[in-house]
Amino acid sequence: MSGLKRIGNALISVYHKDNLEPVIKKLQELNVQMYSTGGTQEFIEGLGAKVIPVETLTSYPSILGGRVKTLHPKIFGGILNRRDLESDQLQLEEYEIPPIDLVIVDLYPFEQTVASTTDEQAIIEKIDIGGISLIRAAAKNFKDVVIIPSRNEYECLMNILTKGQGSSTLQQRKDLASEAFQVSSHYDTAIYNYFSKGEGAFKQSVSESKTLRYGENPHQKGTFYGKMDALFSQLNGKELSYNNLLDVDAAVNLIAEFTDTTFAILKHNNACGLASREKLVDAWKDALAGDPVSAFGGVLITNKPIDLATAEEMHKLFFEVVVAPGFQPGVLELLKQKPNRIILEQKKVEMPAKSFRTLLNGIIEQDKDLKTETVADMKTVTTKAPTEQEKTDLVFANKLVKHTKSNTIILAKNNQLLASGVGQTSRVDALRQAIQKAGEFGFDLKGSVMASDAFFPFPDCVEIAGKAGITAVVQPGGSIKDKDSIAYCDKAGMSMVMTGTRHFKH
């Protein structure tokens, strides 16, 4: 086997001791000489294994409260020496440096410390110096050295120690070196982002990845980077596709706007049905009524555990994915009758506050649109003020418009999405599309409200809306012709409120 190397000496310095015991026992069984420091040394000794303190090798104690332990030529010379270079081997003899063939490191938990405290000194002390240096040195010399940069690689090491009887191949060492540089770069990125506070260079690092069946289309490759299991438990169905993930992301962001019992149906990242009701089954029925055609093959989401009565109604429809915070008795047994139906139980996880995407030859980043207007943010600009029900509906519609592709118009009534005009190049076209769809599905727009993601450059939209029976409008305002739209509303007996906040979504 090409590049086969046997492990004779090992340096072990880890923060977490989880799952280390089997590794130590196997190294002992293979008569590998172990070197260690501090708490790791005590752990190894507690297992009855022979270990040489690093201080004995270096003839230098751990100093500065443990900040300097392994940073010594006898350690790094043992790791970095090239076994096939005679001059390196002569220097090892001259300075009595034993070669180190295996380095096991588990870094100080910097990210976890940042997440758990604001104490700057405590955070700074969790910046690993010796460990990161050992990782880089061993990874650089992968031709001769096995590097285990975290406990996630213990399984791979145990494979080398058992199946390989302590001997590793060049490919195994190179693969571990690749993972080691991933660990070190991720660690440094976390440190940089802590110090930069989001300013300066753009740096993101996500260690977990999952290859998708394909990208947006079958001829495109796709990968998801992130901890999907932290957000969902998948209880049934095939693997999520690239397009499923886009829809689920849109669904999760949308449903987060609502506290009342709400059901939403999404297709191509936009809601085609949504309703809030006292009973979940009624929320489902009224969400489906918004566009039963587009709902076919859609993504469903609710903010309440799904009960059996609701599940029985849902089961009548073909859908790709359902997301809920829980499932009452009997529901899963029913929904799992479709083996490919993806069922996700959503967990409570804090979502990122920023979003970014590739663009041209670079990346753009922005704060997420986390502003949600309430009645208090809506300024009445017409003679007539909206009724209490219209105010409720205006807030409801404005939440929806924020999560719908621009240009968009939302029509709503009694906490139900009646229709939407989505992704149009003209706001007038978006409104006409919404009115047409509402009519096709039997909705009477009299007394309904309209929400727009951006201002009306001309009064034509409110004129069309008024003639369709819409009685209240919410929009950001800011057009030089706002007064013309206001004048028409006053003439037609409509109310209009302005929020001062645009909600473009591209």
Side-chain angles (χ1 to χ4, degrees), residues 102-233:
L102 167 65
V103 176
I104 304 175
V105 177
D106 184 57
L107 298 171
Y108 291 167
F110 178 80
E111 287 180 280
Q112 295 90 328
T113 305
V114 170
S116 63
T117 183
T118 57
D119 184 342
E120 185 174 85
Q121 191 55 42
I123 291 170
I124 298 304
E125 288 304 317
K126 286 298 184 288
I127 298 177
D128 206 311
I129 303 300
I132 206 78
S133 302
L134 292 170
I135 287 174
R136 292 179 65 83
K140 177 178 180 176
N141 204 23
F142 69 87
K143 285 181 67 177
D144 298 305
V145 180
V146 174
I147 174 61
I148 302 300
S150 77
R151 12 178 208 172
N152 294 333
E153 280 65 58
Y154 285 176
E155 183 178 348
C156 180
L157 175 59
M158 287 300 289
N159 183 54
I160 291 171
L161 298 179
T162 52
K163 293 183 180 179
Q165 287 297 299
S167 294
S168 63
T169 66
L170 178 60
Q171 190 60 54
Q172 285 174 322
R173 296 192 298 277
K174 193 170 185 178
D175 289 343
L176 285 166
S178 175
E179 179 60 26
F181 284 118
Q182 188 281 126
V183 168
S184 67
S185 65
H186 179 86
Y187 198 76
D188 286 341
T189 296
I191 295 169
Y192 170 78
N193 285 334
Y194 169 74
F195 279 97
S196 70
K197 307 298 183 186
E199 302 296 330
F202 176 86
K203 291 183 182 291
Q204 291 289 331
S205 178
V206 182
S207 299
E208 297 78 8
S209 67
K210 183 177 180 60
T211 301
L212 304 174
R213 297 197 302 275
Y214 50 81
E216 199 162 6
N217 299 292
H219 64 277
Q220 296 170 270
K221 292 181 179 179
T223 306
F224 174 78
Y225 295 93
K227 298 179 180 179
M228 183 65 68
D229 291 343
L231 185 57
F232 302 112
S233 293

Side-chain angles (χ1 to χ4, degrees), residues 323-345:
V323 184
F327 300 88
Q328 292 185 9
V331 170
L332 290 176
E333 289 82 355
L334 175 63
L335 297 182
K336 285 182 178 180
Q337 289 178 14
K338 301 290 185 181
N340 288 331
R341 181 180 280 163
I342 299 170
I343 303 175
L344 301 177
E345 185 171 3

Side-chain angles (χ1 to χ4, degrees), residues 339-358:
N340 288 331
R341 181 180 280 163
I342 299 170
I343 303 175
L344 301 177
E345 185 171 3
Q346 186 177 353
K347 305 173 186 177
K348 290 184 178 180
V349 175
E350 185 175 351
M351 302 296 282
K354 290 182 178 290
S355 64
F356 57 89
R357 67 168 79 174
T358 57

Side-chain angles (χ1 to χ4, degrees), residues 10 21 52 98 137 139 159 177 204 329 350 464 471 483 493:
E21 182 176 345
I52 297 176
N159 183 54
Q204 291 289 331
E350 185 175 351
I464 295 169
T471 54
K483 61 181 184 301

Side-chain angles (χ1 to χ4, degrees), residues 297-317:
V299 169
L300 319 182
I301 190 165
T302 179
N303 56 1
K304 303 296 180 184
I306 296 178
D307 55 65
L308 189 56
T310 305
E312 287 171 345
E313 293 298 320
M314 294 164 53
H315 190 58
K316 298 174 183 177
L317 176 76

Side-chain angles (χ1 to χ4, degrees), residues 4-146:
L4 204 62
K5 297 279 185 177
R6 183 168 178 78
I7 297 168
N9 297 321
L11 174 65
I12 309 168
S13 179
V14 300
Y15 183 86
H16 295 99
K17 312 302 186 290
D18 314 36
N19 302 319
L20 184 60
E21 182 176 345
V23 173
I24 299 303
K25 289 185 174 179
K26 194 63 184 178
L27 290 172
Q28 184 182 28
E29 181 185 317
L30 294 170
N31 295 314
V32 174
Q33 178 61 67
M34 289 177 271
Y35 298 88
S36 192
T37 64
T40 308
Q41 176 193 328
E42 292 175 5
F43 178 83
I44 296 171
E45 290 171 339
L47 296 174
K50 182 182 177 183
V51 58
I52 297 176
V54 163
E55 292 87 347
T56 300
L57 174 61
T58 63
S59 300
Y60 218 89
S62 172
I63 62 173
L64 307 182
R67 280 190 165 196
V68 181
K69 292 178 284 191
T70 57
L71 295 170
H72 193 279
K74 281 202 169 183
I75 298 297
F76 283 86
I79 297 171
L80 286 165
N81 73 90
R82 290 154 289 191
R83 274 60 164 178
D84 59 356
L85 192 62
E86 185 180 1
S87 59
D88 279 13
Q89 298 310 302
L90 288 173
Q91 284 191 314
L92 257 62
E93 282 186 40
E94 180 182 356
Y95 296 107
E96 299 180 336
I97 300 174
I100 295 173
D101 313 302
L102 167 65
V103 176
I104 304 175
V105 177
D106 184 57
L107 298 171
Y108 291 167
F110 178 80
E111 287 180 280
Q112 295 90 328
T113 305
V114 170
S116 63
T117 183
T118 57
D119 184 342
E120 185 174 85
Q121 191 55 42
I123 291 170
I124 298 304
E125 288 304 317
K126 286 298 184 288
I127 298 177
D128 206 311
I129 303 300
I132 206 78
S133 302
L134 292 170
I135 287 174
R136 292 179 65 83
K140 177 178 180 176
N141 204 23
F142 69 87
K143 285 181 67 177
D144 298 305
V145 180
V146 174

